[in-house]
Amino acid sequence: MLRRPPPLLRLLPFGALLALPLACAEGEADDDSGAPSCPEPAPPAEAICNDAVDLPESGWFTDVTAEVGLTGIDGNRIATADLDGDLYPDLIVEPISTARSDEEAGIRRYVLMNRPGPDGGRIFEDATEESGYYATRDGGTGRAAQAKVFADVDNDGDLDVYSGVYADLEDSNFEDHGDRGEILVNDGTGHFTLGPQSDLYRPNGGTLAGAAFTDYDRDGRVDLYTGYWYRDYGSSYAAYGNRLYRNRGELDFQDVTDAVGMAVPDGSDPDDLRAGTSAKPSYGVTVCDVDDDGDPDLLGSSYGRAWNELWLQDGGAFTEVGRDTGFAGDENVDYCDNQYYACACQLDPDYGTCATHPPCAGVMISCSGNAGSWWGVGYDDQPFRNNGNTFTTVCGDIDNDGDMDLYSAEIRHWHIGDSSDASELLLNDGGSPPAYSRPGNEAMGLDREWDNVDWNEGDLMAAFMDFDNDGRKDVFLGSSDYPDLRAFLFRQKADGTFAEVAEKAGIAHWETSGIAIADFDRDGDLDVVVGSSTFRNTGYWETNEVHMYRNEVGQDGNSLRVRLRGTRANAAGIGARVTVEAGGVVQTQEVSGGYGHMGQHNDVVLHFGLGDACAAERVTVRWPDADLTTEAHCGVAANELVTITQGGDAEYAPRP
């Protein structure tokens, strides 16, 4: 089962909470005092109030894979959402493979529904076949999908899916079944049908690497932002470029990339590459409002040590400001400790810039086999090639100051040197465009020490999560594909720095590839589902096992879960900004339409840890509609799932 009942709850008459001072938002006066209204939800019969979590020495998570029915499930493209409207998050699990599902070949894709178990707990049941999720255009099944993000595309009250496909038509070994990006329409029960074809289908293919829903024009219909990798990896720097698709209604998505100012050259011209004006090879995309003006902005996470992209929006037009903001890459572009450069200079001292800019570190790799050929004069010595291999960018208010900070998850290798960017926290210092500062991993407690000289950092996926419900977001990082890599959990301390705690927490999963985070058992804390990588045969796993780690501590504290229902805004509230004030702490989150490498999605229900606060004095929602309508609800009880309807009430869901 997913969860035992929370222990030692204090049940109080709800009136005891109403002695808290209640702050109110702008609105029409509801009495003669002139004070703005701030309605309170109808109270639950009994309020649940806990002390703040007192963490034990260890054992904060338990591997409950067998209990919840995930034994034998393999995959490392994982996302979660409530597909059937029962308030319990479900799972979609897929492999890296670009082939269609073939059970004999060991290629399977899963729709796993979170349902009541025989002993009163919860289990995941395989509903893949009856879901219709993997139907194909040619009438078959087993569609070759890898990425998925969720939103209510048709505004009918349930979550639909964009299901993306990596279709590399430049690769002669790629077997093209004709599967492409699709909108899958949910009937409300978790059964899906293929929507009409539109520009999303991309018959000419594309190396899809990420997707995110957004309502960029705030017309009440969700749009889609997608990222693509190289056109022909290993032969050229040319990339497809990221695309923006506008939802014109009736599930018709139109490519508006050029119309909104995002047209760029593909990178086949070296001058465009060096100037940074060409398409970047994305390995993930993220959407969030980085300058707090109400318009969603678009972020591209770039591979190949290329500059990351930040497309800042101003009323429907986009301008790329990655380097202006500090997001594109860190300031270190000195390649003197790159071992390929050292080899190139050893093999030919007159090669390139060796005479004027000699290597600053001795050669530690073998230069046999012409290793110097891995160094490209006029390319690798340029700033555009001395940034990061960014797989995922997380966006959220990590320091509770009201603006959106970023965390980049990067792959980095010892032999490339310090010009290759590390995974790092970027703090938003405000402004438009915003200025991002990099306090550094050592200063923030986010650094890691490696035992070997020949280390690799394989950080693929990341998330912000408040696992102990103390009101401070923590960082969960999935790292894999190289020896001795695992999941990392950085717990945020009271001073805003972090401590790495995954091993004593019990969640240091080896070779983590794939993350889904949600309150799967609805006990008030965040659980974690991960996949396992076998990509480089590091020896930890024989298959891409999926594991679930149940949170054993967060439910001892207080939390609030917020679900939105838009009326003038899109129905799932994608892009809404929610602010919760409780116990002297102000937290801000946005409802995500997916993010990161191959489309991570961690549920559209927002989770706020409240520490020892037994209620939120105020919950404010800025809706992503044309007017940026702002509404507030006061005196919201802790330890509840509350649904807030635009222009209507806040209502508590029935408890499990």
Side-chain angles (χ1 to χ4, degrees):
M1 61 180 178
L2 285 181
R3 179 78 233 156
R4 66 187 187 284
L8 301 177
L9 298 179
R10 287 186 286 144
L11 299 178
L12 304 177
F14 188 74
L17 297 179
L18 299 184
L20 293 167
L22 301 181
C24 297
E26 283 80 0
E28 295 181 0
D30 57 2
D31 55 32
D32 295 332
S33 68
S37 63
C38 190
E40 300 167 6
E46 291 179 306
I48 299 174
C49 186
N50 299 318
D51 296 326
V53 172
D54 184 13
L55 286 174
E57 185 63 28
S58 61
W60 307 340
F61 289 86
T62 299
D63 188 336
V64 293
T65 303
E67 289 183 45
V68 302
L70 291 177
T71 301
I73 302 298
D74 292 339
N76 40 24
R77 303 279 192 248
I78 307 173
T80 183
D82 178 10
L83 301 178
D84 58 359
D86 66 352
L87 305 181
Y88 286 90
D90 308 299
L91 289 170
I92 297 179
V93 178
E94 295 167 336
I96 294 176
S97 175
T98 61
R100 282 186 172 178
S101 298
D102 183 341
E103 192 158 354
E104 290 186 4
I107 301 171
R108 289 202 60 187
R109 295 172 170 84
Y110 300 91
V111 175
L112 303 170
M113 303 303 292
N114 185 347
R115 290 175 174 160
D119 58 358
R122 307 288 300 187
I123 61 172
F124 290 100
E125 293 185 354
D126 187 349
T128 308
E129 185 174 353
E130 56 262 40
S131 74
Y133 188 88
Y134 294 108
T136 67
R137 288 282 169 187
D138 59 15
T141 60
R143 186 169 40 84
Q146 295 95 37
K148 53 265 169 201
V149 289
F150 307 94
D152 191 346
V153 178
D154 51 9
N155 288 329
D156 67 349
D158 52 44
L159 291 175
D160 311 298
V161 189
Y162 168 72
S163 177
V165 175
Y166 183 101
D168 188 0
L169 303 189
E170 302 289 339
D171 183 354
S172 60
N173 295 318
F174 176 73
E175 185 178 0
D176 186 12
H177 295 285
D179 297 336
R180 299 289 188 273
E182 301 277 10
I183 296 294
L184 296 171
V185 183
N186 191 350
D187 68 359
T189 68
H191 181 271
F192 297 89
T193 55
L194 291 167
Q197 285 186 341
S198 66
D199 288 356
L200 295 179
Y201 188 71
R202 288 178 66 96
N204 294 325
T207 50
L208 181 87
F213 279 114
T214 178
D215 186 359
Y216 85 92
D217 53 2
R218 305 203 315 267
D219 65 352
R221 297 187 294 263
V222 289
D223 314 300
L224 188 74
Y225 176 49
T226 58
Y228 298 88
W229 202 40
Y230 290 107
R231 283 184 175 273
D232 188 9
Y233 179 58
S235 300
S236 168
Y237 289 112
Y240 281 99
N242 297 348
R243 313 300 296 179
L244 180 63
Y245 299 92
R246 179 173 181 263
N247 182 353
R248 299 192 292 184
E250 304 298 327
L251 306 178
D252 179 18
F253 284 78
Q254 178 188 30
D255 190 332
V256 295
T257 309
D258 296 354
V260 300
M262 295 173 61
V264 292
D266 70 359
S268 56
D269 186 332
D271 290 338
D272 294 330
L273 289 169
R274 296 185 185 107
T277 57
S278 61
K280 315 299 189 299
S282 282
Y283 245 173
V285 298
T286 301
V287 178
C288 65
D289 182 4
V290 298
D291 57 355
D292 194 20
D293 65 351
D295 291 330
D297 308 301
L298 311 178
L299 295 84
S301 303
S302 302
Y303 187 77
R305 304 197 304 280
W307 281 306
N308 292 326
E309 293 184 334
L310 199 171
W311 291 94
L312 196 73
Q313 183 182 179
D314 183 9
F318 291 84
T319 304
E320 207 286 302
V321 296
R323 281 175 286 168
D324 296 335
T325 62
F327 170 62
D330 67 22
E331 294 182 353
N332 186 352
V333 293
D334 189 349
Y335 51 84
C336 70
D337 59 349
N338 187 307
Q339 296 301 294
Y340 292 138
Y341 178 62
C343 270
C345 292
Q346 182 190 76
L347 294 170
D348 183 357
D350 297 325
Y351 185 51
T353 60
C354 298
T356 57
H357 189 72
C360 61
V363 174
M364 293 180 284
I365 62 173
S366 172
C367 295
S368 61
N370 195 23
S373 65
W374 286 86
W375 181 260
V377 173
Y379 292 90
D380 291 332
D381 53 11
Q382 297 299 305
F384 86 92
R385 274 280 287 164
N386 283 279
N387 302 283
N389 296 301
T390 314
F391 278 63
T392 293
T393 300
V394 185
C395 184
D397 184 10
I398 194 74
D399 51 8
N400 288 341
D401 67 350
D403 53 31
M404 295 294 111
D405 310 298
L406 306 173
Y407 182 87
S408 59
E410 313 269 357
I411 278 188
R412 189 166 70 118
H413 309 290
W414 70 278
H415 58 278
I416 301 301
D418 287 339
S419 67
S420 186
D421 296 359
S423 299
E424 190 173 11
L425 187 64
L426 287 72
L427 297 180
N428 190 331
D429 295 331
S432 184
Y436 282 102
S437 60
R438 297 172 181 256
N441 286 331
E442 184 175 357
M444 296 301 295
L446 294 166
D447 55 326
R448 291 163 289 174
E449 295 184 0
W450 307 108
D451 294 333
N452 301 324
V453 172
D454 56 342
W455 52 264
N456 300 279
E457 293 175 358
D459 302 339
L460 306 180
M461 298 166 183
F464 292 160
M465 61 177 294
D466 183 0
F467 80 90
D468 54 357
N469 282 336
D470 63 357
R472 296 184 292 268
K473 297 177 186 66
D474 314 300
V475 178
F476 186 74
L477 181 62
S479 193
S480 71
D481 290 355
Y482 301 95
D484 301 325
L485 293 179
R486 57 172 174 81
F488 297 89
L489 177 60
F490 296 96
R491 180 177 183 247
Q492 187 173 175
K493 300 184 290 186
D495 64 359
T497 63
F498 296 81
E500 207 287 301
V501 296
E503 289 187 302
K504 69 177 180 179
I507 200 168
H509 187 88
W510 287 106
E511 303 293 329
T512 297
S513 176
I515 295 173
I517 297 173
D519 186 2
F520 289 102
D521 47 13
R522 290 188 59 200
D523 69 341
D525 56 27
L526 292 171
D527 312 298
V528 181
V529 174
V530 299
S532 311
S533 177
T534 59
F535 184 60
R536 285 184 169 84
N537 297 315
T538 56
Y540 292 102
W541 307 103
E542 293 183 1
T543 66
N544 303 122
E545 297 181 18
V546 172
H547 286 243
M548 179 173 174
Y549 290 88
R550 185 177 65 199
N551 192 332
E552 304 287 4
V553 295
Q555 83 283 348
D556 294 341
N558 299 299
S559 66
L560 177 65
R561 286 144 289 160
V562 178
R563 184 176 67 147
L564 299 184
R565 287 291 176 262
T567 53
R568 288 189 297 161
N570 70 85
I574 302 298
R577 183 168 289 205
V578 179
T579 303
V580 171
E581 302 176 34
V585 177
V586 181
Q587 300 180 59
T588 304
Q589 295 186 41
E590 289 186 1
V591 180
S592 172
Y595 72 99
H597 182 55
M598 294 306 292
Q600 291 179 241
H601 215 145
N602 297 320
D603 201 5
V604 298
V605 174
L606 300 181
H607 180 100
F608 295 86
L610 301 184
D612 59 4
C614 297
E617 295 97 70
R618 181 171 67 182
V619 177
T620 304
V621 181
R622 187 182 71 188
W623 294 94
D625 61 13
D627 299 321
L628 293 176
T629 304
T630 301
E631 300 170 343
H633 297 268
C634 289
V636 181
N639 304 307
E640 302 288 348
L641 170 58
V642 60
T643 298
I644 298 176
T645 300
Q646 184 178 15
D649 296 328
E651 298 179 329
Y652 299 118
R655 291 176 183 164

